[in-house]
Amino acid sequence: GEDVEQSLFLSVREGDSSVINCTYTDSSSTYLYWYKQEPGAGLQLLTYIFSNMDMKQDQRLTVLLNKKDKHLSLRIADTQTGDSAIYFCAERSLTGGFKTIFGAGTRLFVKA
Amino acid sequence: DGGITQSPKYLFRKEGQNVTLSCEQNLNHDAMYWYRQDPGQGLRLIYYSQIVNDFQKGDIAEGYSVSREKKESFPLTVTSAQKNPTAFYLCASTSQGAGTEAFFGQGTRLTVV
């Protein structure tokens, strides 16, 4: 079945770039998402990319997709302490109906 | 403003009791979902519903039940059969189509005392 994997922790200094990585298994046409979760709250969509794209940039966020390796990354430029949160990678296949498969989440710590 | 609302934010349950978590959305979304979140395990799908009066089991449905009598509402009951119910529960909704994002509620933290 489908699976999404990501590392559990990342620690960076304020002002540095953060790169959060994710791998997925579904090889069909797919939407890939990055969600952010702050403590005690629900998830909010940060950005998404369709599997026929290689890159998407939105202000400080850059998403890179390597479809051959099924590898997705989220780069946050000039990371701030307010970026400290859990970041979830998720995928939703065009053949998968309504189900969205989430990774375990990467907890980003930003040190001042 | 449109959104998805979960209540209560915190819930305490005695062992052997059933409790019901509320989820309401005014986004006119067809599909609604319940996820369970445990530390280090991400989100696991409990139940989902694509239309009114229809729902399907997710990956960890045992010990839970749901209903979908109205498009706006998708309550989750945690029954006494759920052996380890302490967790953070998240409700989400989406419109039709594979590319649409999921909108999440703020979550309910359930603790067994």
Side-chain angles (χ1 to χ4, degrees):
Chain A
E2 307 95 336
D3 193 20
V4 176
E5 293 191 355
Q6 47 185 134
S7 54
L8 293 182
F9 299 100
L10 176 65
S11 180
V12 300
R13 280 199 293 261
E14 190 174 22
D16 288 350
S17 292
S18 309
V19 180
I20 303 171
N21 295 301
C22 168
T23 57
Y24 62 98
T25 57
D26 196 318
S27 59
S28 63
S29 297
T30 289
Y31 281 88
L32 296 146
Y33 306 85
W34 284 105
Y35 286 87
K36 178 182 180 182
Q37 183 184 34
E38 300 198 357
L43 279 65
Q44 288 186 302
L45 181 70
L46 283 178
T47 187
Y48 69 94
I49 190 169
F50 188 52
S51 56
N52 68 353
M53 299 168 64
D54 297 324
M55 186 184 91
K56 183 177 181 181
Q57 186 155 3
D58 182 3
Q59 300 182 336
R60 293 192 296 123
L61 305 179
T62 303
V63 178
L64 293 176
L65 176 61
N66 181 329
K67 191 175 180 181
K68 174 176 168 290
D69 295 337
K70 300 192 183 72
H71 181 267
L72 183 75
S73 68
L74 173 69
R75 179 177 180 269
I76 306 173
D78 187 25
T79 311
Q80 302 298 306
T81 54
D83 295 323
S84 293
I86 302 176
Y87 291 81
F88 288 91
C89 174
E91 72 93 10
R92 192 172 187 190
S93 169
L94 291 180
T95 59
F98 285 86
K99 287 177 65 174
T100 302
I101 308 297
F102 287 85
T106 298
R107 187 177 291 273
L108 175 64
F109 295 94
V110 181
K111 297 176 285 189
Chain B
D1 287 336
I4 181 165
T5 303
Q6 288 184 240
S7 61
K9 190 168 174 64
Y10 300 96
L11 187 56
F12 297 90
R13 189 195 93 168
K14 292 182 180 178
E15 290 201 23
Q17 281 184 336
N18 293 352
V19 290
T20 298
L21 283 59
S22 169
C23 180
E24 304 275 333
Q25 53 98 0
N26 61 2
L27 299 164
N28 200 32
H29 284 170
D30 292 298
M32 297 185 74
Y33 314 75
W34 275 105
Y35 293 91
R36 172 179 169 142
Q37 186 178 20
D38 295 283
Q41 293 196 44
L43 303 183
R44 291 185 289 169
L45 183 64
I46 304 172
Y47 269 98
Y48 64 105
S49 167
Q50 299 183 25
I51 55 171
V52 174
N53 292 323
D54 187 51
F55 46 84
Q56 287 79 40
K57 293 182 179 180
D59 302 315
I60 55 165
E62 187 176 348
Y64 300 97
S65 65
V66 293
S67 63
R68 187 87 187 276
E69 296 176 3
K70 298 185 301 181
K71 189 175 185 178
E72 301 80 16
S73 178
F74 191 41
L76 173 74
T77 297
V78 184
T79 75
S80 57
Q82 171 50 239
K83 296 305 177 192
N84 184 23
T86 295
F88 190 54
Y89 291 87
L90 285 163
C91 180
S93 69
T94 62
S95 61
Q96 296 253 5
T100 57
E101 69 176 280
F103 286 80
F104 282 82
Q106 290 298 295
T108 294
R109 184 166 297 281
L110 173 63
T111 304
V112 173
V113 296

